[in-house]
Amino acid sequence: ELIAHTYFNLHNITSIGLRFFTVYGPYGRPDMAPWIFTDKISNGKSIRVFNHGKSQRDFTYVDDIVQGVIHSLFVNTGQPELVNLGNGRPVVLADFVRIVEESVGKKANIESVGMQKGDVPLTYADISKARWLLGYNPSTPIEEGIKNFVTWFKEHDASRYRMPS
């Protein structure tokens, strides 16, 4: 963000910085909750659910992020911009776990624990700027996105890419 403003002030170069919020989907990061929970639930292993499942996160399906990235390529406001790309609708962690369970077809073995050090109970993207500047409109409901992800996960035997615990 500082570099974008510096280059604008020194060289009149405009840019758009995009902040992504909890992106998930096929070929996603194996260190993120959608991957970890899908892997562990699929394989009958227990999952740790922080803040007793009360935390809320803004899960954003990769196709929606791609839409925002593509739209950003055609915008030039004449100044540096920072834009949040997310879903804009936080999901309660306990609901997220239930959605993964339904998509996997198995119940999770849940280890309910307190808040993780340094974590916050709620994060989500304010996407109002993305809506008006980019015409951004995330359209993938969490249920559909997780179902797509779990299908991909199973088809690609993605458990083999799990992160070491």
Side-chain angles (χ1 to χ4, degrees), residues 85-130:
L85 295 183
N87 199 25
R89 295 180 298 267
V91 176
V92 175
L93 185 54
D95 293 336
F96 175 76
V97 170
R98 179 188 47 77
I99 293 164
V100 174
E101 287 174 327
E102 290 170 358
S103 294
V104 168
K106 292 183 178 180
K107 292 294 283 177
N109 299 317
I110 297 173
E111 179 188 345
S112 183
V113 296
M115 190 74 130
Q116 192 173 19
K117 284 186 179 183
D119 205 356
V120 294
L122 170 66
T123 62
Y124 68 98
D126 175 353
I127 60 171
S128 56
K129 185 174 183 179

mmCIF file of all heavy atoms in Angstrom, residues 85-130:
data_model
loop_
_atom_site.group_PDB
_atom_site.id
_atom_site.type_symbol
_atom_site.label_atom_id
_atom_site.label_comp_id
_atom_site.label_asym_id
_atom_site.label_seq_id
_atom_site.Cartn_x
_atom_site.Cartn_y
_atom_site.Cartn_z
ATOM 1 N N LEU A 85 -11.723 -7.631 -1.665
ATOM 2 C CA LEU A 85 -12.494 -8.645 -2.372
ATOM 3 C C LEU A 85 -12.793 -9.773 -1.394
ATOM 4 O O LEU A 85 -11.890 -10.454 -0.923
ATOM 5 C CB LEU A 85 -11.714 -9.188 -3.579
ATOM 6 C CG LEU A 85 -11.428 -8.216 -4.707
ATOM 7 C CD1 LEU A 85 -10.712 -8.930 -5.848
ATOM 8 C CD2 LEU A 85 -12.696 -7.551 -5.210
ATOM 9 N N GLY A 86 -14.042 -9.913 -1.082
ATOM 10 C CA GLY A 86 -14.501 -10.945 -0.170
ATOM 11 C C GLY A 86 -15.932 -11.270 -0.504
ATOM 12 O O GLY A 86 -16.453 -10.857 -1.542
ATOM 13 N N ASN A 87 -16.576 -11.968 0.378
ATOM 14 C CA ASN A 87 -17.979 -12.303 0.182
ATOM 15 C C ASN A 87 -18.881 -11.231 0.801
ATOM 16 O O ASN A 87 -19.995 -11.026 0.355
ATOM 17 C CB ASN A 87 -18.270 -13.680 0.783
ATOM 18 C CG ASN A 87 -19.522 -14.292 0.245
ATOM 19 O OD1 ASN A 87 -19.955 -13.980 -0.849
ATOM 20 N ND2 ASN A 87 -20.125 -15.168 1.008
ATOM 21 N N GLY A 88 -18.380 -10.576 1.838
ATOM 22 C CA GLY A 88 -19.153 -9.525 2.484
ATOM 23 C C GLY A 88 -20.220 -10.046 3.437
ATOM 24 O O GLY A 88 -21.006 -9.267 3.962
ATOM 25 N N ARG A 89 -20.238 -11.372 3.629
ATOM 26 C CA ARG A 89 -21.225 -11.991 4.530
ATOM 27 C C ARG A 89 -20.500 -12.999 5.417
ATOM 28 O O ARG A 89 -20.243 -14.128 4.986
ATOM 29 C CB ARG A 89 -22.316 -12.692 3.728
ATOM 30 C CG ARG A 89 -23.182 -11.763 2.890
ATOM 31 C CD ARG A 89 -24.250 -12.507 2.105
ATOM 32 N NE ARG A 89 -23.703 -13.456 1.140
ATOM 33 C CZ ARG A 89 -23.471 -13.174 -0.135
ATOM 34 N NH1 ARG A 89 -23.725 -11.989 -0.608
ATOM 35 N NH2 ARG A 89 -22.999 -14.102 -0.939
ATOM 36 N N PRO A 90 -20.166 -12.621 6.639
ATOM 37 C CA PRO A 90 -19.450 -13.560 7.501
ATOM 38 C C PRO A 90 -20.296 -14.792 7.839
ATOM 39 O O PRO A 90 -21.512 -14.715 7.925
ATOM 40 C CB PRO A 90 -19.133 -12.749 8.750
ATOM 41 C CG PRO A 90 -20.000 -11.552 8.703
ATOM 42 C CD PRO A 90 -20.429 -11.347 7.284
ATOM 43 N N VAL A 91 -19.594 -15.917 7.990
ATOM 44 C CA VAL A 91 -20.229 -17.200 8.308
ATOM 45 C C VAL A 91 -19.739 -17.626 9.688
ATOM 46 O O VAL A 91 -18.540 -17.603 9.966
ATOM 47 C CB VAL A 91 -19.848 -18.271 7.261
ATOM 48 C CG1 VAL A 91 -20.413 -19.636 7.640
ATOM 49 C CG2 VAL A 91 -20.301 -17.844 5.882
ATOM 50 N N VAL A 92 -20.660 -18.033 10.554
ATOM 51 C CA VAL A 92 -20.306 -18.542 11.878
ATOM 52 C C VAL A 92 -19.566 -19.866 11.689
ATOM 53 O O VAL A 92 -19.986 -20.725 10.901
ATOM 54 C CB VAL A 92 -21.570 -18.726 12.748
ATOM 55 C CG1 VAL A 92 -21.236 -19.377 14.087
ATOM 56 C CG2 VAL A 92 -22.275 -17.393 12.949
ATOM 57 N N LEU A 93 -18.460 -20.027 12.390
ATOM 58 C CA LEU A 93 -17.610 -21.204 12.224
ATOM 59 C C LEU A 93 -18.382 -22.512 12.432
ATOM 60 O O LEU A 93 -18.187 -23.477 11.687
ATOM 61 C CB LEU A 93 -16.407 -21.128 13.168
ATOM 62 C CG LEU A 93 -15.357 -22.211 13.044
ATOM 63 C CD1 LEU A 93 -14.830 -22.337 11.619
ATOM 64 C CD2 LEU A 93 -14.217 -21.955 14.014
ATOM 65 N N ALA A 94 -19.250 -22.567 13.420
ATOM 66 C CA ALA A 94 -20.036 -23.789 13.651
ATOM 67 C C ALA A 94 -20.904 -24.115 12.432
ATOM 68 O O ALA A 94 -21.060 -25.292 12.070
ATOM 69 C CB ALA A 94 -20.899 -23.637 14.906
ATOM 70 N N ASP A 95 -21.456 -23.097 11.771
ATOM 71 C CA ASP A 95 -22.244 -23.317 10.560
ATOM 72 C C ASP A 95 -21.344 -23.802 9.422
ATOM 73 O O ASP A 95 -21.730 -24.669 8.643
ATOM 74 C CB ASP A 95 -22.969 -22.040 10.138
ATOM 75 C CG ASP A 95 -24.043 -21.628 11.131
ATOM 76 O OD1 ASP A 95 -24.547 -22.498 11.879
ATOM 77 O OD2 ASP A 95 -24.379 -20.428 11.167
ATOM 78 N N PHE A 96 -20.156 -23.233 9.339
ATOM 79 C CA PHE A 96 -19.193 -23.646 8.324
ATOM 80 C C PHE A 96 -18.858 -25.134 8.481
ATOM 81 O O PHE A 96 -18.860 -25.880 7.498
ATOM 82 C CB PHE A 96 -17.934 -22.789 8.423
ATOM 83 C CG PHE A 96 -16.838 -23.207 7.500
ATOM 84 C CD1 PHE A 96 -16.894 -22.911 6.154
ATOM 85 C CD2 PHE A 96 -15.763 -23.930 7.982
ATOM 86 C CE1 PHE A 96 -15.887 -23.318 5.290
ATOM 87 C CE2 PHE A 96 -14.753 -24.335 7.128
ATOM 88 C CZ PHE A 96 -14.815 -24.027 5.783
ATOM 89 N N VAL A 97 -18.612 -25.560 9.710
ATOM 90 C CA VAL A 97 -18.299 -26.972 9.970
ATOM 91 C C VAL A 97 -19.470 -27.848 9.541
ATOM 92 O O VAL A 97 -19.278 -28.882 8.889
ATOM 93 C CB VAL A 97 -17.937 -27.205 11.456
ATOM 94 C CG1 VAL A 97 -17.842 -28.696 11.773
ATOM 95 C CG2 VAL A 97 -16.637 -26.493 11.815
ATOM 96 N N ARG A 98 -20.686 -27.442 9.866
ATOM 97 C CA ARG A 98 -21.881 -28.201 9.475
ATOM 98 C C ARG A 98 -21.976 -28.331 7.948
ATOM 99 O O ARG A 98 -22.274 -29.401 7.408
ATOM 100 C CB ARG A 98 -23.142 -27.533 10.027
ATOM 101 C CG ARG A 98 -24.438 -28.237 9.641
ATOM 102 C CD ARG A 98 -25.680 -27.438 10.045
ATOM 103 N NE ARG A 98 -25.645 -26.022 9.702
ATOM 104 C CZ ARG A 98 -25.844 -25.524 8.472
ATOM 105 N NH1 ARG A 98 -26.079 -26.329 7.458
ATOM 106 N NH2 ARG A 98 -25.821 -24.215 8.261
ATOM 107 N N ILE A 99 -21.669 -27.258 7.232
ATOM 108 C CA ILE A 99 -21.720 -27.273 5.766
ATOM 109 C C ILE A 99 -20.673 -28.231 5.203
ATOM 110 O O ILE A 99 -20.956 -28.998 4.270
ATOM 111 C CB ILE A 99 -21.554 -25.843 5.208
ATOM 112 C CG1 ILE A 99 -22.769 -24.988 5.585
ATOM 113 C CG2 ILE A 99 -21.341 -25.853 3.701
ATOM 114 C CD1 ILE A 99 -22.558 -23.491 5.424
ATOM 115 N N VAL A 100 -19.474 -28.219 5.772
ATOM 116 C CA VAL A 100 -18.437 -29.160 5.329
ATOM 117 C C VAL A 100 -18.878 -30.592 5.628
ATOM 118 O O VAL A 100 -18.747 -31.484 4.782
ATOM 119 C CB VAL A 100 -17.066 -28.848 5.974
ATOM 120 C CG1 VAL A 100 -16.044 -29.923 5.621
ATOM 121 C CG2 VAL A 100 -16.567 -27.468 5.550
ATOM 122 N N GLU A 101 -19.424 -30.832 6.815
ATOM 123 C CA GLU A 101 -19.916 -32.175 7.176
ATOM 124 C C GLU A 101 -20.939 -32.662 6.151
ATOM 125 O O GLU A 101 -20.866 -33.808 5.683
ATOM 126 C CB GLU A 101 -20.587 -32.149 8.547
ATOM 127 C CG GLU A 101 -19.673 -32.010 9.727
ATOM 128 C CD GLU A 101 -20.431 -31.852 11.036
ATOM 129 O OE1 GLU A 101 -21.534 -31.247 11.058
ATOM 130 O OE2 GLU A 101 -19.912 -32.337 12.055
ATOM 131 N N GLU A 102 -21.891 -31.808 5.807
ATOM 132 C CA GLU A 102 -22.936 -32.187 4.853
ATOM 133 C C GLU A 102 -22.350 -32.502 3.483
ATOM 134 O O GLU A 102 -22.760 -33.461 2.827
ATOM 135 C CB GLU A 102 -23.985 -31.074 4.741
ATOM 136 C CG GLU A 102 -24.837 -30.939 5.985
ATOM 137 C CD GLU A 102 -25.718 -29.693 5.991
ATOM 138 O OE1 GLU A 102 -25.652 -28.887 5.022
ATOM 139 O OE2 GLU A 102 -26.454 -29.507 6.982
ATOM 140 N N SER A 103 -21.370 -31.713 3.053
ATOM 141 C CA SER A 103 -20.762 -31.928 1.737
ATOM 142 C C SER A 103 -19.894 -33.180 1.710
ATOM 143 O O SER A 103 -19.859 -33.900 0.710
ATOM 144 C CB SER A 103 -19.933 -30.708 1.327
ATOM 145 O OG SER A 103 -20.779 -29.594 1.138
ATOM 146 N N VAL A 104 -19.183 -33.449 2.809
ATOM 147 C CA VAL A 104 -18.337 -34.639 2.902
ATOM 148 C C VAL A 104 -19.192 -35.893 3.115
ATOM 149 O O VAL A 104 -18.847 -36.978 2.656
ATOM 150 C CB VAL A 104 -17.296 -34.470 4.045
ATOM 151 C CG1 VAL A 104 -16.596 -35.777 4.372
ATOM 152 C CG2 VAL A 104 -16.281 -33.391 3.675
ATOM 153 N N GLY A 105 -20.300 -35.722 3.827
ATOM 154 C CA GLY A 105 -21.155 -36.862 4.130
ATOM 155 C C GLY A 105 -20.767 -37.583 5.400
ATOM 156 O O GLY A 105 -21.105 -38.746 5.594
ATOM 157 N N LYS A 106 -20.033 -36.892 6.270
ATOM 158 C CA LYS A 106 -19.616 -37.468 7.550
ATOM 159 C C LYS A 106 -19.704 -36.399 8.631
ATOM 160 O O LYS A 106 -19.520 -35.220 8.360
ATOM 161 C CB LYS A 106 -18.156 -37.944 7.494
ATOM 162 C CG LYS A 106 -17.892 -39.120 6.608
ATOM 163 C CD LYS A 106 -16.428 -39.522 6.698
ATOM 164 C CE LYS A 106 -16.130 -40.742 5.851
ATOM 165 N NZ LYS A 106 -14.709 -41.111 5.943
ATOM 166 N N LYS A 107 -19.925 -36.862 9.865
ATOM 167 C CA LYS A 107 -19.900 -35.950 11.009
ATOM 168 C C LYS A 107 -18.451 -35.717 11.422
ATOM 169 O O LYS A 107 -17.633 -36.617 11.360
ATOM 170 C CB LYS A 107 -20.679 -36.535 12.189
ATOM 171 C CG LYS A 107 -22.176 -36.650 11.985
ATOM 172 C CD LYS A 107 -22.864 -35.312 11.870
ATOM 173 C CE LYS A 107 -23.028 -34.668 13.230
ATOM 174 N NZ LYS A 107 -23.632 -33.332 13.160
ATOM 175 N N ALA A 108 -18.192 -34.513 11.884
ATOM 176 C CA ALA A 108 -16.845 -34.163 12.354
ATOM 177 C C ALA A 108 -16.663 -34.612 13.799
ATOM 178 O O ALA A 108 -17.608 -34.589 14.592
ATOM 179 C CB ALA A 108 -16.641 -32.657 12.260
ATOM 180 N N ASN A 109 -15.448 -35.012 14.113
ATOM 181 C CA ASN A 109 -15.045 -35.220 15.501
ATOM 182 C C ASN A 109 -14.473 -33.880 15.952
ATOM 183 O O ASN A 109 -13.359 -33.527 15.563
ATOM 184 C CB ASN A 109 -13.970 -36.317 15.607
ATOM 185 C CG ASN A 109 -14.476 -37.639 15.087
ATOM 186 O OD1 ASN A 109 -15.598 -38.032 15.374
ATOM 187 N ND2 ASN A 109 -13.655 -38.320 14.307
ATOM 188 N N ILE A 110 -15.258 -33.147 16.729
ATOM 189 C CA ILE A 110 -14.910 -31.766 17.063
ATOM 190 C C ILE A 110 -14.248 -31.667 18.426
ATOM 191 O O ILE A 110 -14.773 -32.181 19.410
ATOM 192 C CB ILE A 110 -16.160 -30.864 17.018
ATOM 193 C CG1 ILE A 110 -16.724 -30.829 15.595
ATOM 194 C CG2 ILE A 110 -15.841 -29.464 17.513
ATOM 195 C CD1 ILE A 110 -18.058 -30.113 15.467
ATOM 196 N N GLU A 111 -13.108 -31.008 18.448
ATOM 197 C CA GLU A 111 -12.447 -30.628 19.690
ATOM 198 C C GLU A 111 -12.691 -29.124 19.854
ATOM 199 O O GLU A 111 -12.043 -28.299 19.208
ATOM 200 C CB GLU A 111 -10.947 -30.921 19.615
ATOM 201 C CG GLU A 111 -10.192 -30.532 20.866
ATOM 202 C CD GLU A 111 -8.678 -30.642 20.691
ATOM 203 O OE1 GLU A 111 -8.204 -31.265 19.726
ATOM 204 O OE2 GLU A 111 -7.970 -30.066 21.546
ATOM 205 N N SER A 112 -13.664 -28.784 20.669
ATOM 206 C CA SER A 112 -14.044 -27.383 20.871
ATOM 207 C C SER A 112 -13.090 -26.744 21.872
ATOM 208 O O SER A 112 -12.943 -27.222 22.999
ATOM 209 C CB SER A 112 -15.486 -27.308 21.385
ATOM 210 O OG SER A 112 -15.893 -25.968 21.514
ATOM 211 N N VAL A 113 -12.406 -25.681 21.435
ATOM 212 C CA VAL A 113 -11.432 -25.006 22.288
ATOM 213 C C VAL A 113 -11.720 -23.506 22.315
ATOM 214 O O VAL A 113 -12.495 -22.993 21.511
ATOM 215 C CB VAL A 113 -9.978 -25.272 21.817
ATOM 216 C CG1 VAL A 113 -9.635 -26.750 21.944
ATOM 217 C CG2 VAL A 113 -9.760 -24.796 20.398
ATOM 218 N N GLY A 114 -11.064 -22.817 23.232
ATOM 219 C CA GLY A 114 -11.249 -21.378 23.373
ATOM 220 C C GLY A 114 -10.627 -20.606 22.222
ATOM 221 O O GLY A 114 -10.121 -21.173 21.254
ATOM 222 N N MET A 115 -10.644 -19.307 22.376
ATOM 223 C CA MET A 115 -10.111 -18.413 21.361
ATOM 224 C C MET A 115 -8.605 -18.629 21.197
ATOM 225 O O MET A 115 -7.885 -18.755 22.181
ATOM 226 C CB MET A 115 -10.392 -16.969 21.784
ATOM 227 C CG MET A 115 -10.097 -15.974 20.728
ATOM 228 S SD MET A 115 -11.343 -16.053 19.465
ATOM 229 C CE MET A 115 -11.755 -14.355 19.356
ATOM 230 N N GLN A 116 -8.153 -18.667 19.967
ATOM 231 C CA GLN A 116 -6.730 -18.805 19.673
ATOM 232 C C GLN A 116 -6.031 -17.468 19.950
ATOM 233 O O GLN A 116 -6.576 -16.401 19.648
ATOM 234 C CB GLN A 116 -6.556 -19.188 18.202
ATOM 235 C CG GLN A 116 -5.188 -19.622 17.827
ATOM 236 C CD GLN A 116 -5.144 -20.152 16.391
ATOM 237 O OE1 GLN A 116 -6.022 -19.889 15.586
ATOM 238 N NE2 GLN A 116 -4.108 -20.899 16.088
ATOM 239 N N LYS A 117 -4.838 -17.532 20.537
ATOM 240 C CA LYS A 117 -4.100 -16.303 20.842
ATOM 241 C C LYS A 117 -3.901 -15.483 19.572
ATOM 242 O O LYS A 117 -3.526 -16.015 18.532
ATOM 243 C CB LYS A 117 -2.739 -16.624 21.458
ATOM 244 C CG LYS A 117 -2.809 -17.053 22.886
ATOM 245 C CD LYS A 117 -1.418 -17.222 23.480
ATOM 246 C CE LYS A 117 -1.526 -17.632 24.942
ATOM 247 N NZ LYS A 117 -0.213 -17.730 25.560
ATOM 248 N N GLY A 118 -4.151 -14.181 19.705
ATOM 249 C CA GLY A 118 -3.954 -13.271 18.585
ATOM 250 C C GLY A 118 -5.086 -13.252 17.581
ATOM 251 O O GLY A 118 -5.055 -12.492 16.622
ATOM 252 N N ASP A 119 -6.103 -14.090 17.766
ATOM 253 C CA ASP A 119 -7.217 -14.145 16.831
ATOM 254 C C ASP A 119 -8.285 -13.127 17.223
ATOM 255 O O ASP A 119 -8.272 -12.577 18.320
ATOM 256 C CB ASP A 119 -7.819 -15.551 16.815
ATOM 257 C CG ASP A 119 -8.526 -15.877 15.510
ATOM 258 O OD1 ASP A 119 -8.629 -14.994 14.639
ATOM 259 O OD2 ASP A 119 -8.965 -17.032 15.357
ATOM 260 N N VAL A 120 -9.208 -12.881 16.333
ATOM 261 C CA VAL A 120 -10.331 -11.982 16.595
ATOM 262 C C VAL A 120 -11.625 -12.747 16.313
ATOM 263 O O VAL A 120 -11.640 -13.670 15.497
ATOM 264 C CB VAL A 120 -10.259 -10.702 15.737
ATOM 265 C CG1 VAL A 120 -9.052 -9.861 16.120
ATOM 266 C CG2 VAL A 120 -10.217 -11.029 14.259
ATOM 267 N N PRO A 121 -12.713 -12.381 16.977
ATOM 268 C CA PRO A 121 -13.949 -13.155 16.807
ATOM 269 C C PRO A 121 -14.648 -12.959 15.462
ATOM 270 O O PRO A 121 -15.415 -13.804 15.035
ATOM 271 C CB PRO A 121 -14.840 -12.680 17.951
ATOM 272 C CG PRO A 121 -14.275 -11.378 18.391
ATOM 273 C CD PRO A 121 -12.826 -11.389 18.038
ATOM 274 N N LEU A 122 -14.381 -11.851 14.770
ATOM 275 C CA LEU A 122 -15.105 -11.559 13.533
ATOM 276 C C LEU A 122 -14.195 -10.853 12.545
ATOM 277 O O LEU A 122 -13.572 -9.842 12.890
ATOM 278 C CB LEU A 122 -16.319 -10.669 13.844
ATOM 279 C CG LEU A 122 -17.082 -10.055 12.671
ATOM 280 C CD1 LEU A 122 -17.771 -11.134 11.850
ATOM 281 C CD2 LEU A 122 -18.113 -9.050 13.188
ATOM 282 N N THR A 123 -14.123 -11.389 11.327
ATOM 283 C CA THR A 123 -13.473 -10.677 10.224
ATOM 284 C C THR A 123 -14.342 -10.833 8.983
ATOM 285 O O THR A 123 -14.910 -11.903 8.745
ATOM 286 C CB THR A 123 -12.057 -11.212 9.896
ATOM 287 O OG1 THR A 123 -12.146 -12.570 9.486
ATOM 288 C CG2 THR A 123 -11.116 -11.076 11.075
ATOM 289 N N TYR A 124 -14.476 -9.754 8.244
ATOM 290 C CA TYR A 124 -15.176 -9.811 6.965
ATOM 291 C C TYR A 124 -14.804 -8.588 6.139
ATOM 292 O O TYR A 124 -14.319 -7.592 6.658
ATOM 293 C CB TYR A 124 -16.693 -9.915 7.136
ATOM 294 C CG TYR A 124 -17.351 -8.682 7.711
ATOM 295 C CD1 TYR A 124 -17.952 -7.751 6.875
ATOM 296 C CD2 TYR A 124 -17.361 -8.453 9.079
ATOM 297 C CE1 TYR A 124 -18.550 -6.614 7.401
ATOM 298 C CE2 TYR A 124 -17.959 -7.335 9.605
ATOM 299 C CZ TYR A 124 -18.551 -6.411 8.763
ATOM 300 O OH TYR A 124 -19.137 -5.298 9.286
ATOM 301 N N ALA A 125 -15.003 -8.720 4.853
ATOM 302 C CA ALA A 125 -14.644 -7.659 3.924
ATOM 303 C C ALA A 125 -15.789 -6.666 3.774
ATOM 304 O O ALA A 125 -16.931 -7.061 3.554
ATOM 305 C CB ALA A 125 -14.314 -8.257 2.564
ATOM 306 N N ASP A 126 -15.444 -5.394 3.857
ATOM 307 C CA ASP A 126 -16.381 -4.346 3.443
ATOM 308 C C ASP A 126 -16.167 -4.215 1.937
ATOM 309 O O ASP A 126 -15.152 -3.685 1.486
ATOM 310 C CB ASP A 126 -16.067 -3.037 4.153
ATOM 311 C CG ASP A 126 -16.933 -1.880 3.672
ATOM 312 O OD1 ASP A 126 -17.698 -2.053 2.684
ATOM 313 O OD2 ASP A 126 -16.832 -0.790 4.256
ATOM 314 N N ILE A 127 -17.103 -4.733 1.155
ATOM 315 C CA ILE A 127 -16.930 -4.769 -0.298
ATOM 316 C C ILE A 127 -17.686 -3.646 -1.010
ATOM 317 O O ILE A 127 -17.822 -3.676 -2.239
ATOM 318 C CB ILE A 127 -17.324 -6.147 -0.869
ATOM 319 C CG1 ILE A 127 -18.779 -6.490 -0.577
ATOM 320 C CG2 ILE A 127 -16.385 -7.230 -0.351
ATOM 321 C CD1 ILE A 127 -19.276 -7.743 -1.293
ATOM 322 N N SER A 128 -18.124 -2.644 -0.271
ATOM 323 C CA SER A 128 -18.885 -1.559 -0.901
ATOM 324 C C SER A 128 -18.070 -0.854 -1.982
ATOM 325 O O SER A 128 -18.595 -0.535 -3.057
ATOM 326 C CB SER A 128 -19.392 -0.572 0.152
ATOM 327 O OG SER A 128 -18.332 -0.055 0.923
ATOM 328 N N LYS A 129 -16.790 -0.610 -1.745
ATOM 329 C CA LYS A 129 -15.954 0.039 -2.750
ATOM 330 C C LYS A 129 -15.783 -0.857 -3.974
ATOM 331 O O LYS A 129 -15.827 -0.383 -5.117
ATOM 332 C CB LYS A 129 -14.591 0.396 -2.152
ATOM 333 C CG LYS A 129 -13.702 1.178 -3.093
ATOM 334 C CD LYS A 129 -12.431 1.615 -2.386
ATOM 335 C CE LYS A 129 -11.549 2.456 -3.260
ATOM 336 N NZ LYS A 129 -10.328 2.883 -2.543
ATOM 337 N N ALA A 130 -15.598 -2.149 -3.755
ATOM 338 C CA ALA A 130 -15.467 -3.085 -4.872
ATOM 339 C C ALA A 130 -16.742 -3.115 -5.707
ATOM 340 O O ALA A 130 -16.687 -3.214 -6.941
ATOM 341 C CB ALA A 130 -15.136 -4.484 -4.358
#
